[in-house]
Amino acid sequence: EDLQDRLEQFKTRREQLEGIFDIAGHDLKLAELQARSGAEDFWTLPQEDRTPVLRDIRLLGALVEEWHSFAEDLEELETGLG
């Protein structure tokens, strides 16, 4: 196999995993949580109501950031080999 074939396999696998891990759904959920935390009254809520939102923002943010970084690296590799 040459590098171009391997790259195509990686792209196919990435697309499969993107669906399995529901990256689009996580992106939407992250945007909703960020909007919620940006609401004017968010910081007046009790800490026990804010903490899960902030925790989920941190966790989902790390997950989708890592995923998008991986996807960008793969695209750069494809561009370099193309």
Side-chain angles (χ1 to χ4, degrees):
E1 290 181 80
D2 67 358
L3 287 177
Q4 194 65 40
D5 290 338
R6 292 288 292 156
L7 181 61
E8 286 302 317
Q9 290 174 358
F10 281 129
K11 284 174 51 181
T12 299
R13 188 68 180 141
R14 183 200 78 200
E15 291 168 2
Q16 292 169 342
L17 292 173
E18 191 169 330
I20 290 169
F21 293 120
D22 189 23
I23 299 302
H26 291 322
D27 280 331
L28 287 173
K29 181 68 174 173
L30 179 59
E32 290 170 5
L33 291 169
Q34 289 170 329
R36 186 171 169 199
S37 71
E40 200 171 299
D41 64 340
F42 180 76
W43 297 101
T44 64
L45 295 172
Q47 183 174 353
E48 61 268 12
D49 293 339
R50 292 189 320 257
T51 299
V53 173
L54 297 173
R55 181 198 62 228
D56 289 350
I57 287 172
R58 184 176 45 84
L59 294 173
L60 282 175
L63 178 114
V64 299
E65 181 180 329
E66 185 67 29
W67 181 263
H68 291 301
S69 176
F70 166 71
E72 288 172 13
D73 289 348
L74 191 56
E75 288 176 19
E76 287 178 19
L77 181 59
E78 179 182 22
T79 302
L81 291 177

